[in-house]
Amino acid sequence: MQRNQPQGLSRPARPGWLKILNWVGLGLGLGLTIAAKLAMPARAAPPSLSPVMDRESYPFLGTYDLGPISLQQRGETGVPASIPVSLTGLLGLPPGVDPVPLVVLLHGRHRGCHFAAPAPSQWPCPIGQETGFDQGLAYLADGLTRAGFAVLVPNLNGAFTDTHGARPDNRNRLADQRSQQLIDAHLQRLEIASHSGPNPFAQPLQGRLNWRQLVLVGHSMGGGAAALSALNRQGQTSPERIQQGLGSVAALVVVSPTRSHPLADYPQAYQLADIPTVVMLGGCDRDILDYSSLYYLETAYRDQRRRTPVLGLMLLGANHNFFNTAIDYDDYYRWPNHGSLCDPQRSDQRLSRVIQEQWLQRFLVEFLTTVLPGQGGSAGAALGLAPDRPAPDRIYDQPVLTNLVWPSQGRYTLFRAGDGASVYQPSPDLQVIPCGAFRPCDGGERSPAFPTVLRLRWHQPGQGLLFPLPPLDLRNFSSLQLRLAGLQELPPHFTSAPLGIVSRDRHGGAVRLDLPPTTTGLNPLIRDPDTSPFTYPVALRIPLAQFRGVDLAALSSLELRFDGIPEGGSDLAGIEFLERAE
């Protein structure tokens, strides 16, 4: 993905397929014009792409070509009314006869003849010169198919082409329009084929797809397109919408997602549908320079009506490009200033392409089998989805940072930075600096520039921050979650507890829990002096059972004690209590 600026089943009776085909031709809900070739038999294979996947390695995957359509382009001056695109891609179907969940994989916008900026871009690309970024996700489609999922991988190059009126000032808005039309068009045709209509996919689809378990997974701008599609489809649960391939999405996974709109100008672009979601970013991603992928989490934290969890996940050694095999360029070398953590020649944390692929395959399978009904998965605790368990610092033996956005009705917020209703009492020598999002903080910039935080600094031991509690019965809650980020590296071989948490009840009882210096969140991610430290608050989750000795039905206060280190600093975004999972 390149951007215009760095930022940083029961079913009702089915109508006849001819009627549905007419619906598609009219473009219901799509705003696209289907060319006459839509109803014609597909060609034997899509136009030649480079690279072409090794089909012998993926026996459950096949390519398809559904013919050309025209995507409408609206609301932009000096732009053609439409752009021609062929519906091509990959389809994977596991053996069997039973309905299975359908996963749609969406690739991103990457360099090629269609997006060659600043050189002239071409669309359609000359035969044999278009890069098959959909085929670059064949490894992931294969892993999911072998695990029992049907997988669709549309070719989205037509959505992301820098032609047909696309300019630096409007290319991202056009990409949003085009990608949504393309996703819907592919799914409409697949839905028809799965219910006795014309089937140009060359696989036996009738009755095989569970359209109530539709999952979207996207990488880079494909992640932004997936999030937008899930949001647009939210609430579309009627039989009619499902029968048109336009039904709601059951789960969402976005990997280094972006819609490439400048984050400070368009924060509303980073909304999430209320469905189980994972927002993932590589710790060595040198494409999402402003960490804007993580802003999806901030919108979820602020959504007081949200009923489903969101897992934020940073896989520390992963980069941007190695999730798609059609991209051979290590994005570390795009901006080679990410320190020893990510230098392929020096780092002991950098992940190889193969490890990144295997990690994502395994994670997707376990996440989807956990959150989709009837799939029988139970990996929630290991993946960081369990509110009553500590946040993991490793998943599949790879280091991670996580955040868990628990449903709003299942959490009690004690403190949120920037919330005028939050009450706290600092010790006399603790410096407290409110830092708003997208503004300089403490005399300089921070990375990322969000969320709003309370910056704490102290220059002598014995400092603390007290949070009074109103009368509240917390016995049905399972854990305390702090969102914080360290500002400076702790001294080598430091053994004292840099942070203590003291809970007090109204009967005079008190318990202190000391956190070791290795605790996630107490050290910054990037330690090289020539780079900005990563100060995004991560989750520190503590089971309330560890505060045995105080009455959870009568807590009076919670205090953070910074008396284990003579001087230091931390960014605090929030403190909340999480209820047990039902």
Side-chain angles (χ1 to χ4, degrees):
M1 188 279 299
Q2 302 289 342
R3 298 178 293 168
N4 57 327
Q5 56 179 299
Q7 291 288 340
L9 272 148
S10 63
R11 299 282 300 263
R14 171 83 181 160
W17 65 265
L18 287 175
K19 181 178 179 181
I20 297 173
L21 190 56
N22 287 334
W23 287 350
V24 177
L26 291 173
L28 284 180
L30 288 175
L32 56 85
T33 303
I34 308 295
K37 287 186 179 181
L38 183 63
M40 296 176 60
R43 295 185 290 273
S48 176
L49 300 175
S50 177
V52 176
M53 67 175 184
D54 178 7
R55 299 190 182 188
E56 293 185 358
S57 299
Y58 304 115
F60 299 111
L61 304 184
T63 59
Y64 62 83
D65 182 357
L66 310 181
I69 65 171
S70 293
L71 308 180
Q72 290 189 357
Q73 304 189 127
R74 296 176 173 173
E76 300 291 337
T77 58
V79 171
S82 63
I83 176 175
V85 175
S86 292
L87 300 179
T88 64
L90 305 177
L91 179 66
L93 192 67
V97 296
D98 295 328
V100 295
L102 171 62
V103 181
V104 181
L105 302 181
L106 303 174
H107 67 79
R109 179 171 67 191
H110 311 290
R111 293 288 187 183
C113 53
H114 65 295
F115 187 71
S121 302
Q122 304 175 67
W123 189 258
C125 288
I127 294 177
Q129 295 186 26
E130 181 184 352
T131 303
F133 295 112
D134 55 325
Q135 297 188 19
L137 297 179
Y139 78 93
L140 196 53
D142 180 69
L144 287 164
T145 303
R146 292 176 185 273
F149 297 90
V151 184
L152 183 76
V153 194
N155 180 348
L156 297 183
N157 285 344
F160 301 140
T161 179
D162 206 18
T163 65
H164 290 74
R167 307 179 301 268
D169 65 301
N170 70 2
R171 64 164 64 115
N172 298 319
R173 294 192 297 271
L174 287 176
D176 284 349
Q177 291 187 34
R178 297 167 179 173
S179 65
Q180 299 310 293
Q181 296 176 59
L182 267 176
I183 293 167
D184 289 351
H186 282 266
L187 285 173
Q188 282 188 310
R189 290 299 302 274
L190 184 65
E191 203 276 340
I192 292 170
S194 70
H195 288 93
S196 303
N199 183 2
F201 293 92
Q203 298 208 46
L205 289 168
Q206 186 172 356
R208 291 301 319 277
L209 305 180
N210 183 345
W211 285 92
R212 297 184 184 276
Q213 292 193 337
L214 172 63
V215 176
L216 297 184
V217 177
H219 171 235
S220 195
M221 277 197 73
L228 181 58
S229 180
L231 190 64
N232 290 339
R233 289 165 170 260
Q234 186 163 265
Q236 302 298 320
T237 58
S238 69
E240 292 76 17
R241 298 299 281 180
I242 294 171
Q243 288 172 356
Q244 296 168 29
L246 301 174
S248 60
V249 177
L252 174 69
V253 179
V254 287
V255 181
S256 299
T258 183
R259 288 174 61 194
S260 286
H261 299 289
L263 183 53
D265 298 333
Y266 297 97
Q268 69 276 10
Y270 294 81
Q271 301 292 314
L272 286 174
D274 192 357
I275 54 178
T277 299
V278 174
V279 178
M280 177 181 167
L281 182 65
C284 295
D285 192 308
R286 300 303 288 149
D287 193 286
I288 313 296
L289 297 176
D290 61 354
Y291 299 101
S292 56
S293 297
L294 298 172
Y295 202 76
Y296 282 102
L297 289 174
E298 297 311 310
T299 66
Y301 268 114
R302 292 195 302 271
D303 186 353
Q304 295 303 305
R305 296 175 297 176
R306 189 169 187 93
R307 298 170 299 170
T308 55
V310 180
L311 176 65
L313 174 63
M314 177 173 280
L315 180 60
L316 290 189
N319 75 341
H320 190 86
N321 287 348
F322 282 4
F323 288 115
N324 190 309
T325 62
I327 314 170
D328 58 5
Y329 182 67
D330 183 344
D331 46 280
Y332 170 83
Y333 295 104
R334 181 183 178 195
W335 303 93
N337 61 346
H338 205 34
S340 58
L341 172 69
C342 299
D343 187 335
Q345 307 302 319
R346 294 189 291 161
S347 174
D348 59 359
Q349 281 194 342
R350 265 304 300 272
L351 303 183
S352 69
R353 182 187 295 274
V354 171
I355 291 177
Q356 279 194 211
E357 293 174 2
Q358 292 175 341
W359 194 99
L360 185 58
Q361 277 184 334
R362 183 176 176 184
F363 180 88
L364 275 179
V365 169
E366 294 201 1
F367 172 73
L368 294 180
T369 55
T370 296
V371 301
L372 293 180
Q375 299 302 310
S378 58
L383 302 183
L385 287 165
D388 57 343
R389 301 287 295 276
D393 56 9
R394 303 183 78 85
I395 297 178
Y396 313 139
D397 204 34
Q398 300 300 335
V400 297
L401 303 175
T402 65
N403 273 273
L404 179 62
V405 182
W406 201 237
S408 58
Q409 70 271 23
R411 69 180 190 256
Y412 171 76
T413 300
L414 174 61
F415 165 78
R416 178 179 293 141
D419 184 351
S422 296
V423 178
Y424 55 86
Q425 301 169 7
S427 58
D429 295 315
L430 179 68
Q431 188 178 11
V432 177
I433 307 168
C435 296
F438 309 115
R439 302 173 188 170
C441 175
D442 195 17
E445 302 298 329
R446 61 190 176 107
S447 181
F450 59 87
T452 297
V453 298
L454 201 64
R455 177 153 291 182
L456 310 173
R457 288 192 179 275
W458 60 94
H459 301 284
Q460 52 184 316
Q463 305 308 311
L465 190 63
L466 180 71
F467 298 89
L469 270 165
L472 182 68
D473 189 343
L474 294 173
R475 286 175 293 181
N476 289 329
F477 288 75
S478 63
S479 65
L480 168 71
Q481 180 165 274
L482 311 178
R483 294 185 65 212
L484 51 80
L487 298 181
Q488 62 195 54
E489 186 176 9
L490 295 175
H493 311 298
F494 189 83
T495 57
S496 298
L499 175 63
I501 302 174
V502 181
S503 60
R504 298 182 177 89
D505 63 28
R506 303 183 190 281
H507 312 304
V511 172
R512 172 170 175 147
L513 179 66
D514 287 322
L515 305 181
T518 55
T519 301
T520 298
L522 299 185
N523 282 279
L525 172 59
I526 302 171
R527 299 179 173 92
D528 293 271
D530 58 340
T531 59
S532 299
F534 176 79
T535 58
Y536 184 73
V538 299
L540 194 163
R541 199 157 54 248
I542 303 166
L544 290 180
Q546 296 191 29
F547 292 100
R548 185 172 299 168
V550 293
D551 186 355
L552 294 178
L555 286 186
S556 60
S557 67
L558 190 80
E559 185 177 12
L560 306 184
R561 299 294 306 175
F562 305 103
D563 47 13
I565 183 172
E567 61 179 327
S570 182
D571 281 354
L572 178 65
I575 303 175
E576 55 196 6
F577 294 93
L578 307 184
E579 286 187 346
R580 296 177 175 85
E582 294 182 1

